Amino acid sequence: MQSDNNELRYQELAAKWLDGSITPEEEKEFADWYNAGLDKPLQVPESFAASEEVHRQRLLRKIREEIQMEVPEQRRGIAWPKWVAAAAVILGIIAVGTYFWAERTIMPATTGKAGAVAEADITPGGNKAMLTLANGAQIVLDSANNGVLATQGNTAIIKSQSGQLIFDISKQTAGTDDIAPDAINTLSTPKGGQYVIILPDGTKVWLNAQSSLHFPTAFNAKERVVQLSGEAYFEVAKDKRKPFHVQSKGADIEVLGTHFNVMAYTNEPVMETTLLEGAIKVSKDNRSETIRPGKQVQLSDQGMQIRSIDTVDAVAWKNGIFQFNDTHLKNIMRQVERWYDVKIDYASLPDKRYNGMVFRNSNLSEVLKMLEMAGDIRFEVVDKTIKVINKRAEKITE
């Protein structure tokens, strides 16, 4: 009877959290309950939302509101309040129906043997990158000291206190090497890495994991051109005299000054360019399309397609979130592979789709646990290789 009363209490707290009526004391009780974990699922009554999609949108809106209130601007996407992260993990993945799974038990460790999640948990990625200068010199940015790292012509290359890489042409540097105007630098991130760079023209770029950006030492030509492999979010400095171009996978994206995201990994079947502000023109082969905010251009073997999307989904990674909107498990695991520097046994993945979110500063075990909670699967992690086990198949063979 006590267990039933507890479950009713947790259902009540979940409902209050969603509608904003939860008190600070109840909020702490809710978070403490999550951190302690439960040994069975928590069922949230269907009356809390008219449908799964309504529930999902309501949940995500609530979490975003809490993030805006609780996290200082300079720290958003880096260090989330513990209770907000806990609530996101509890409520983040919505399975078919209205079941929110709250179990948080970490399975026994594996020392060469199969197990759901290793006791020596895999931590998330962070600010890691390599800068390769035009002269071939390489600088490991995550271990470099803050301050001026090198100079190129009249440009100082600076690692700021916040960990950003800045190419500052305002600094008057002396004793610098002569640099050819077409010399190219490269910023590259490994698996489990990300980095922010401010280019010589003031354009700000967020580079996602396992990506690289090639750019000139100075934008002296009539056009500003960079090459991208992987994923990046751009806030382009306006200069009507010099259009800005991003080239990737045979496509060209032209802008004057705007905010947009490009996802162009070699192991992804579709290249996606999503516009948040301004206007861009995407060209490939013999086709060009100019799009407006809220639109996404998809390039694949089937050609070019344009669709309307929620731009929040496209840039969630930049804001420190994995966000899934009817997303295939295979797509999710490619993101996991890049951010946690693990290998995936793709042959074992079932054809499943997910809705939900989880913070990118979560350990791998939390992400996998959420996916387990939302479906009849479990994960085995052995030597940083993740394999999916179908729970139903296991039951049949038992």
Side-chain angles (χ1 to χ4, degrees):
M1 181 64 68
Q2 181 65 33
S3 177
D4 291 342
N5 289 338
N6 286 343
E7 183 170 335
L8 289 173
R9 175 58 174 164
Y10 300 141
Q11 290 178 10
E12 178 187 7
L13 292 176
K16 287 186 173 183
W17 186 80
L18 282 172
D19 65 22
S21 65
I22 194 167
T23 67
E25 292 75 18
E26 290 171 332
E27 184 178 282
K28 183 178 184 303
E29 181 183 354
F30 191 40
D32 289 345
W33 158 74
Y34 164 76
N35 291 327
L38 286 182
D39 57 3
K40 65 176 183 177
L42 169 65
Q43 181 177 358
V44 177
E46 190 171 348
S47 59
F48 288 172
S51 68
E52 177 186 341
E53 181 59 21
V54 171
H55 207 154
R56 174 180 176 272
Q57 294 300 330
R58 184 182 180 190
L59 168 65
L60 295 182
R61 183 171 61 251
K62 174 64 177 176
I63 291 176
R64 288 170 187 156
E65 289 172 354
E66 297 295 346
I67 291 171
Q68 292 297 322
M69 288 189 298
E70 295 286 345
V71 187
E73 179 68 32
Q74 65 270 25
R75 295 182 64 201
R76 285 178 191 155
I78 300 174
W80 305 98
K82 185 176 181 181
W83 86 264
V84 175
V89 173
I90 280 181
L91 304 173
I93 294 287
I94 302 178
V96 177
T98 52
Y99 289 86
F100 292 5
W101 293 74
E103 182 183 45
R104 243 197 122 193
T105 305
I106 304 300
M107 301 302 290
T110 63
T111 54
K113 297 181 181 180
V117 179
E119 186 176 89
D121 207 351
I122 297 174
T123 57
N127 285 346
K128 304 173 187 176
M130 173 80 75
L131 174 64
T132 302
L133 299 176
N135 63 7
Q138 292 188 319
I139 303 173
V140 180
L141 296 175
D142 33 308
S143 59
N145 294 327
N146 296 336
V148 176
L149 304 178
T151 56
Q152 289 182 321
N154 291 324
T155 301
I157 304 171
I158 301 169
K159 180 181 177 182
S160 71
Q161 291 185 348
S162 61
Q164 297 181 353
L165 183 65
I166 302 172
F167 280 69
D168 191 350
I169 60 175
S170 68
K171 301 291 185 183
Q172 296 299 315
T173 56
T176 58
D177 297 331
D178 292 333
I179 300 295
D182 58 348
I184 300 297
N185 298 315
T186 301
L187 179 67
S188 56
T189 55
K191 286 184 176 181
Q194 63 181 16
Y195 222 83
V196 177
I197 179 173
I198 299 178
L199 299 175
D201 66 333
T203 292
K204 192 171 184 178
V205 185
W206 286 255
L207 201 62
N208 203 352
Q210 203 174 3
S211 303
S212 62
L213 183 72
H214 304 275
F215 57 96
T217 58
F219 290 108
N220 294 323
K222 293 182 179 180
E223 296 180 321
R224 296 171 288 168
V225 181
V226 301
Q227 288 82 36
L228 171 70
S229 174
E231 184 169 21
Y233 176 80
F234 294 82
E235 290 186 356
V236 177
K238 293 182 179 181
D239 187 345
K240 293 183 178 180
R241 299 169 303 170
K242 293 184 178 182
F244 192 97
H245 292 259
V246 178
Q247 298 176 346
S248 185
K249 297 181 76 170
D252 179 87
I253 303 161
E254 179 182 354
V255 307
L256 292 176
T258 191
H259 299 182
F260 62 100
N261 192 82
V262 181
M263 191 280 289
Y265 286 105
T266 56
N267 66 343
E268 294 286 354
V270 178
M271 172 181 168
E272 297 176 346
T273 302
T274 307
L275 182 63
L276 284 80
E277 179 183 310
I280 59 176
K281 182 170 73 173
V282 181
S283 305
K284 186 173 184 181
D285 299 330
N286 297 321
R287 183 176 176 184
S288 295
E289 292 287 346
T290 299
I291 64 171
R292 299 297 175 185
K295 299 292 185 180
Q296 181 182 83
V297 176
Q298 295 186 331
L299 295 172
S300 66
D301 293 340
Q302 285 68 49
M304 181 182 296
Q305 293 183 334
I306 301 173
R307 64 171 188 160
S308 298
I309 72 158
D310 182 351
T311 57
V312 171
D313 291 348
V315 299
W317 70 269
K318 168 186 168 287
N319 298 321
I321 297 172
F322 290 114
Q323 187 153 312
F324 313 129
N325 187 359
D326 196 31
T327 306
H328 277 291
L329 180 59
K330 184 175 290 187
N331 179 284
I332 293 172
M333 297 311 291
R334 284 197 292 264
Q335 295 180 51
V336 168
E337 182 177 33
R338 290 190 287 263
W339 188 234
Y340 292 93
D341 190 13
V342 294
K343 296 179 180 179
I344 309 297
D345 181 355
Y346 286 99
S348 68
L349 299 183
D351 184 16
K352 297 178 69 69
R353 291 175 179 265
Y354 289 82
N355 292 295
M357 63 179 289
V358 63
F359 295 103
R360 277 163 61 101
N361 65 356
S362 303
N363 284 349
L364 176 64
S365 63
E366 293 181 85
V367 178
L368 298 184
K369 182 59 63 177
M370 286 183 62
L371 296 171
E372 288 181 339
M373 291 171 184
D376 291 324
I377 60 173
R378 69 177 179 86
F379 293 94
E380 290 183 346
V381 182
V382 181
D383 297 328
K384 295 190 74 173
T385 297
I386 301 174
K387 182 178 181 180
V388 178
I389 306 297
N390 189 315
K391 289 182 180 179
R392 291 183 180 179
E394 279 189 320
K395 292 177 181 178
I396 294 175
T397 59
E398 287 178 355

